Amino acid sequence: MDRLPDIETEHREELVPADDAIIGRAFWWSLLSIGVVAAIGGGLLLLLMDPVQKSEEIVVKQVRAPETLVPDLEVLPDVRFTDVTLESGIGFVHESGARGDKFLPETMGSGAAFLDMDRDGDQDLLLINAMAWPESKQAAAAPSVMRLYANDGRGQFTDVTASAGIDSEMYGTGVAVGDVDADGLLDFFVAGLGFNRLYRNLGDGRFEDISGSSGVQGDSGAWSTSPAFLDIDGDGDLDLFVPNYVEWSSKTDRELDFTLNGRDRAYGPPIQYRGTHPYLYENLGDGAFRDVSEASGMHVRNPSTGVPVGKSLAVAPIDLDRDGAMDLVVANDTTRNFLYHNQGDGTFVEVGMQSGIAFDGRGSATGAMGIDAAHYRNDALLGIGIGNFANEMTSFYVSDRDPMLFTDEAILEGIGSSTRPLLSFGLFFFDYDLDGRLDLFQTNGHLEEEISQVQPSQRYRQPAQLFWNSGDLDGGCFELVPSDVAGDLSSPIVGRGAAYADIDGDGDLDVLVTQVGARPLLLRNDQELDHHWIRIAVHQDGGNRDAIGAWIELVAGGVTQRRQVMPTRSYLSQVELPITFGLGVMDRIDSLRVVWPDGAIQDIGVDGLEVDRPHAIIRSPSSSRAE
């Protein structure tokens, strides 16, 4: 069992570093600390009181969609999601370790990954788990381990954890998937509290823990979150970026002794903890990695105190300026977000404040959780969504003509007021109705079970939100899908990680959401709109076999859709590698182009690329072919 941050560890540094002062206005818990405490004379510490007590009215408009792809649609599409978790064979229940101690890690949950572990063409499922605290007197009845489920191609899953050799405990958080040794098999990295783990796919259904020999374990006292495999230096193999959250130990947590009512312990906000630095590991090509975090420019410090600024929960890897070098947009909790601009020489410069991504539209840092980036308008502009804490609307940064400059346009794009009341974690773009436009999903859930006792407008279990992309480029793209239309997707849960994949081979994208201390929700997409689609997977020779970081550009009906091959999305989670393009009523595509990770551009002949089926584009040194 991995060593967790020890209860006896001394933390002599200041608990609230000076670099957090700038984000006092965006206090992660939406606190009214001074005024409320004064009003009640030091009695109840109602630190989670609403700044506005009445709820906002949410207006769902009926709009006419563009005629290019959906000619007759005048209202939101009638697409329902159905909870098929148990009937699909998924019996996993998350273990948070919560036994009344109210330790901060218990609130953050664990992620999930869709991956084709056996290369049989369907999407298998890996669910990350935490564990009971070693010092707890109420230990779990059985070891709490991650679970690996094999898909039969029709959405039925079989637990293969024991035979896979991954049934050992750790306090797991996030996961990344990638073929790190270029053998054609997908490996995976699990981040957590304490040592991290890298599992090599042996090809016979078993995985080998190579964490120690690979050099990516990290520090025994670190708290790692949402890792990502990507080629940072353009040498053709997959490197590894691992964000770290706050400097935490159970001893420090107890010393802070946070409370909501002046009597009972509660989960304290991260603003009370010191920040950390991320890990960046260079793949050496021989099964080992080298830590280049500091040398590459990953260490961001407060210039006055020298204290690390980052409190990172998720990352969106994307080449923003299309210079052939992958950049990193990092969501930081209660402190400014980062944009690591890749200089192309193995180094990065952090330019979050210059780019407009560091703060929200009011100039405040937010409780940033999940993140995703996409060309949601089917044009050159890029959108970056970041889920935030309760009473902070979801941030939605849109690029200007300069691809490195962004403005928070959450209100203008229609996701502002309806996201403000909820506490959001996993967030991603996907085309749920296959109309050719990327919609937006976010899962929600609070931290405190008793939150409604001190903040009546809040609930512990909260519904997820689905925003339909109407294509209205003038009046705001997104419309909130009402709960009576979305089906089980709107069930109140304690949502954390979120991922998508086509689990049953019908062409549409299904959704999985993880919970804290409960079962995940596997939500089958039951759309029956008769929209066409095409799925594209790309493969190449060399170290990055699945072409992570490549762009696929598809033209149909005069509309250009751009999608990046990037499984790292959302929060602590990974989506499937194949790219699904919705085509609406179009029954053919006009052109298909792949921009490979090394910058090579190849136009793929569309003859034989039939719609309503998956295809693989295989690149060799001399040619590309479709299968």
Side-chain angles (χ1 to χ4, degrees):
M1 182 172 65
D2 287 340
R3 177 174 176 264
L4 302 181
D6 191 66
I7 190 171
E8 301 299 329
T9 301
E10 292 287 342
H11 283 256
R12 303 183 185 279
E13 297 88 357
E14 56 183 328
L15 294 178
V16 187
D19 58 302
D20 281 327
I22 191 172
I23 48 79
R25 293 170 299 167
F27 201 164
W28 189 60
W29 299 79
S30 304
L31 307 180
L32 291 180
S33 54
I34 298 177
V36 173
V37 172
I40 60 178
L44 297 178
L45 190 60
L46 300 181
L47 295 180
L48 287 168
M49 190 66 69
D50 272 333
V52 180
Q53 288 296 323
K54 64 180 181 179
S55 60
E56 299 182 47
E57 180 183 5
I58 299 175
V59 179
V60 178
K61 298 182 293 183
Q62 294 185 350
V63 298
R64 180 180 297 276
E67 295 186 354
T68 51
L69 294 178
V70 191
D72 298 321
L73 192 61
E74 295 184 347
V75 295
L76 296 170
D78 186 7
V79 177
R80 301 186 69 83
F81 286 82
T82 304
D83 182 356
V84 295
T85 311
L86 292 177
E87 68 182 76
S88 296
I90 297 174
F92 173 84
V93 177
H94 180 258
E95 167 65 74
S96 69
R99 302 291 189 273
D101 290 312
K102 296 284 186 177
F103 290 146
L104 181 60
E106 299 165 4
T107 69
M108 306 306 288
S110 301
F114 284 110
L115 71 162
D116 185 0
M117 65 173 179
D118 45 14
R119 294 296 194 185
D120 63 355
D122 55 47
Q123 298 302 311
D124 309 302
L125 176 62
L126 178 63
L127 292 161
I128 307 305
N129 207 355
M131 57 182 279
W133 298 108
E135 65 265 28
S136 173
K137 297 179 180 179
Q138 304 178 50
S144 302
V145 300
M146 71 186 89
R147 292 289 175 183
L148 181 62
Y149 290 91
N151 189 348
D152 68 355
R154 296 168 294 182
Q156 290 295 311
F157 293 87
T158 301
D159 190 336
V160 296
T161 308
S163 61
I166 60 172
D167 53 345
S168 58
E169 284 191 310
M170 68 177 291
Y171 203 99
T173 54
V175 58
V177 173
D179 182 1
V180 300
D181 51 4
D183 63 354
L185 300 169
L186 288 174
D187 314 297
F188 64 87
F189 176 88
V190 182
L193 189 63
F195 288 126
N196 300 318
R197 296 183 185 176
L198 176 60
Y199 288 91
R200 179 174 176 263
N201 191 334
L202 300 178
D204 58 359
R206 296 181 301 120
F207 290 80
E208 176 188 10
D209 185 347
I210 60 169
S211 311
S213 61
S214 64
V216 295
Q217 277 188 313
D219 185 77
S220 63
W223 180 352
S224 300
T225 54
S226 300
F229 283 116
L230 70 157
D231 185 0
I232 62 166
D233 48 14
D235 65 354
D237 54 28
L238 290 177
D239 309 297
L240 177 62
F241 177 76
V242 185
N244 288 314
Y245 191 32
V246 295
E247 189 175 295
W248 181 90
S249 74
S250 56
K251 181 178 186 297
T252 303
D253 203 321
R254 282 202 174 97
E255 288 175 345
L256 290 171
D257 200 24
F258 189 78
T259 182
L260 296 178
N261 58 17
R263 181 182 66 254
D264 303 313
R265 268 184 60 83
Y267 293 113
I271 195 171
Q272 301 187 71
Y273 297 89
R274 292 169 57 91
T276 60
H277 297 307
Y279 301 131
L280 183 62
Y281 297 105
E282 178 190 3
N283 191 335
L284 300 179
D286 58 358
F289 290 77
R290 177 176 61 189
D291 188 341
V292 295
S293 309
E294 186 168 11
S296 64
M298 291 287 120
H299 288 193
V300 179
R301 299 179 181 274
N302 182 300
S304 300
T305 66
V307 172
V309 175
K311 299 179 180 181
S312 305
L313 285 176
V315 59
I318 188 168
D319 180 5
L320 292 175
D321 51 2
R322 294 296 187 97
D323 62 355
M326 293 289 288
D327 309 303
L328 298 166
V329 186
V330 179
N332 282 320
D333 191 359
T334 71
T335 188
R336 59 185 172 91
N337 300 318
F338 293 158
L339 195 171
Y340 288 107
H341 186 209
N342 194 330
Q343 303 300 291
D345 59 359
T347 65
F348 293 77
V349 176
E350 200 287 296
V351 294
M353 286 192 287
Q354 297 93 313
S355 70
I357 288 175
F359 305 109
D360 67 7
R362 301 176 301 163
S364 299
T366 60
M369 316 293 187
I371 185 172
D372 198 9
H375 289 284
Y376 70 102
R377 295 162 53 104
N378 287 335
D379 60 14
L381 300 185
L382 188 78
I384 300 175
I386 299 180
N388 291 319
F389 205 79
N391 299 318
E392 297 172 343
M393 68 180 68
T394 293
S395 299
F396 197 84
Y397 303 100
V398 180
S399 63
D400 203 340
R401 294 180 181 178
D402 183 334
M404 297 295 293
L405 295 178
F406 291 81
T407 304
D408 188 351
E409 298 184 4
I411 294 176
L412 294 177
E413 289 292 21
I415 63 173
S417 62
S418 56
T419 60
R420 186 191 297 275
L422 302 176
L423 199 165
S424 305
F425 280 87
L427 174 150
F428 55 69
F429 294 95
F430 75 138
D431 184 359
Y432 79 94
D433 59 343
L434 301 176
D435 66 352
R437 297 184 298 271
L438 287 172
D439 312 296
L440 182 67
F441 171 85
Q442 66 179 42
T443 185
N444 307 306
H446 217 285
L447 309 186
E448 289 281 358
E449 290 190 64
E450 301 82 11
I451 186 61
S452 60
Q453 297 178 17
V454 296
Q455 192 173 347
S457 68
Q458 287 293 322
R459 295 292 182 272
Y460 182 50
R461 291 173 176 80
Q462 299 178 355
Q465 292 175 302
L466 179 62
F467 292 89
W468 177 60
N469 187 338
S470 70
D472 183 354
L473 304 185
D474 297 318
C477 278
F478 294 102
E479 304 289 334
L480 178 65
V481 177
S483 58
D484 59 347
V485 174
D488 292 335
L489 181 143
S490 297
S491 300
I493 61 171
V494 190
R496 293 297 185 263
Y500 63 77
D502 178 9
I503 64 168
D504 46 14
D506 63 356
D508 56 36
L509 294 173
D510 311 292
V511 173
L512 183 128
V513 180
T514 67
Q515 295 196 74
V516 171
R519 297 184 188 277
L521 263 66
L522 181 61
L523 299 159
R524 187 184 63 212
N525 187 334
D526 287 332
Q527 65 87 22
E528 297 180 352
L529 300 173
D530 294 325
H531 287 169
H532 296 293
W533 52 273
I534 191 169
R535 283 167 62 82
I536 306 293
V538 290
H539 306 287
Q540 63 179 2
D541 293 333
N544 183 5
R545 298 290 293 270
D546 295 293
I548 290 175
W551 285 89
I552 305 176
E553 299 179 358
L554 178 147
V555 179
V559 175
T560 300
Q561 300 182 50
R562 298 173 176 88
R563 307 285 186 266
Q564 184 185 29
V565 180
M566 180 52 64
T568 300
R569 300 179 186 273
S570 183
Y571 170 77
L572 307 179
S573 301
Q574 301 269 288
V575 305
E576 64 177 0
L577 275 165
I579 303 296
T580 295
F581 291 94
L583 301 175
V585 299
M586 299 299 163
D587 60 2
R588 64 181 301 273
I589 65 173
D590 301 325
S591 67
L592 185 72
R593 169 175 289 182
V594 178
V595 182
W596 296 97
D598 63 2
I601 299 175
Q602 291 194 330
D603 293 313
I604 310 300
V606 298
D607 291 340
L609 287 180
E610 300 176 8
V611 302
D612 300 332
R613 58 166 293 184
H615 298 272
I617 307 298
I618 301 174
R619 180 195 189 193
S620 66
S622 59
S623 64
S624 291
R625 68 183 189 274
E627 294 183 350

